[in-house]
Amino acid sequence: MTRTTEPVGPLSAAAGVLLLLLSAPAPVLAAPGGGPGTKSEPATDQGGARESGKGRSRESDSSSKTDDGKDVDTEHLFGFTEGADAGEKGEREAVVDTVSRIGKRRDGPGRSAYRVLDTRLAYQFNPIDRLSLELSAFGTLRRQRNILDLDDKSYGTFDGVSLEVKYQFLKGSKEQPFGLALEVRPRFTRVLPVEGRGADIVDVESLLQLDVQVVPDKLWYGSNLSVEPAAGRERGGPGYRSSTFLWSNALVGRVGDNTYLGPEVRYLRGYEGAFLNRLESEALTLGPALHHRFTEKVWLTVAYAGQVWGRDTDPALAGRSLGLNQFERHSLRVKFGMEF
């Protein structure tokens, strides 16, 4: 807050300095040998915090969260990959998570576009240690034009809600570097994720999360295994069944006091049928992941994933590169969070 003050004249300033010097307490000198005159208590600031303990307090409250490897929160450290940390009782967090999905095969000559912006607003809280509950609401913006097997569409709409339940079995530290958690994410969605047509779909993603401190306080590895079946019905249309398998891996290192950067690779398989029945597409993506903490409570994660290999099983697409039937050429994730 900026305060407005009146200008002070030279005589008033001199009088103020003289009054301050006269009112200041005389220094206490230490008696030789630690006698009765020795001042054993360190000086305190206006808030009553001891100067010698002040640095230690700050270190334990904030620096250890970023400078001490065992206290780095790995949950949002790896980009698209999720870390195993789940938090402690009473912790709360608000998150804005946006994933942009860009690029599919064009259908004939002319300009084409496929851009989908999926945004999630989430509130997370911990009723007990190592258990987190997260409530989310989704919105989507979509523009698709001249794309193979897809209708031209351009709109924005509300896209459902979800509940995420996560329990952490192991918490990583310098002494025990492995973190392990299981997360279940039931979700109701109103839009088919690829086609963009209206629907009523329920999917349940089960996600196994592992992270390891490869080099304490310097290098972390994260890995996820995920299976996501989905079932429902298009509005005014047929039933819908699909499923996805995901294996993602990230390796990030500390590149600054509160900044972490490294590569991330993901392998995805998309199926027709809710139980991994018939393979339709597979893709391998690669890109960087960046995580930065502005303060102890405010952070940002940015990650890019581009297809470097893939294929579709449709015979009509034999010999075509990349798996674009179920997945996109490019994905960009921007996730901003605040803990309180």
Side-chain angles (χ1 to χ4, degrees), residues 144-186:
Q144 55 194 52
R145 176 185 176 188
N146 194 23
I147 297 298
L148 184 65
D149 295 332
L150 299 183
D151 300 328
D152 291 354
K153 292 181 179 296
S154 180
Y155 65 85
T157 188
F158 170 68
D159 193 22
V161 295
S162 74
L163 169 66
E164 301 180 8
V165 182
K166 177 177 180 177
Y167 185 77
Q168 183 178 13
F169 297 94
L170 294 174
K171 181 172 178 60
S173 66
K174 287 183 177 180
E175 294 74 21
Q176 193 287 109
F178 294 94
L180 181 67
L182 177 65
E183 187 167 4
V184 179
R185 301 170 172 173

Side-chain angles (χ1 to χ4, degrees), residues 25-48:
V28 179
L29 300 178
T38 302
K39 185 173 178 59
S40 59
E41 292 294 329
T44 62
D45 60 11
Q46 292 181 351

Side-chain angles (χ1 to χ4, degrees), residues 224-245:
N224 291 169
L225 282 174
S226 166
V227 177
E228 184 178 5
R233 181 173 296 277
E234 292 187 42
R235 295 195 190 98
Y240 176 86
R241 301 288 188 277
S242 72
S243 49
T244 304
F245 170 82

Side-chain angles (χ1 to χ4, degrees), residues 7-183:
V8 180
L11 293 179
S12 299
V17 172
L18 181 59
L19 181 59
L20 180 63
L21 292 176
L22 292 176
S23 61
V28 179
L29 300 178
T38 302
K39 185 173 178 59
S40 59
E41 292 294 329
T44 62
D45 60 11
Q46 292 181 351
R50 294 176 181 173
E51 291 182 359
S52 60
K54 194 173 182 180
R56 288 194 299 270
S57 176
R58 288 178 179 170
E59 181 180 356
S60 61
D61 291 342
S62 59
S63 298
S64 63
K65 295 296 182 183
T66 56
D67 297 335
D68 187 346
K70 70 180 181 180
D71 288 331
V72 168
D73 187 348
T74 63
E75 182 177 10
H76 308 289
L77 192 63
F78 301 107
F80 289 93
T81 305
E82 302 284 341
D85 277 351
E88 300 177 354
K89 180 179 179 179
E91 290 184 350
R92 296 174 296 167
E93 185 176 64
V95 177
V96 180
D97 185 5
T98 299
V99 176
S100 302
R101 300 182 285 122
I102 303 170
K104 283 188 176 292
R105 288 192 183 92
R106 70 176 60 199
D107 185 18
R111 300 183 62 183
S112 67
Y114 185 86
R115 302 184 186 93
V116 181
L117 191 71
D118 297 320
T119 297
R120 178 174 67 98
L121 303 178
Y123 171 75
Q124 177 182 301
F125 63 96
N126 292 64
I128 61 174
D129 289 346
R130 300 192 180 187
L131 175 67
S132 69
L133 304 177
E134 189 166 16
L135 303 173
S136 300
F138 294 82
T140 185
L141 290 172
R142 177 181 294 263
R143 175 174 170 77
Q144 55 194 52
R145 176 185 176 188
N146 194 23
I147 297 298
L148 184 65
D149 295 332
L150 299 183
D151 300 328
D152 291 354
K153 292 181 179 296
S154 180
Y155 65 85
T157 188
F158 170 68
D159 193 22
V161 295
S162 74
L163 169 66
E164 301 180 8
V165 182
K166 177 177 180 177
Y167 185 77
Q168 183 178 13
F169 297 94
L170 294 174
K171 181 172 178 60
S173 66
K174 287 183 177 180
E175 294 74 21
Q176 193 287 109
F178 294 94
L180 181 67
L182 177 65
E183 187 167 4

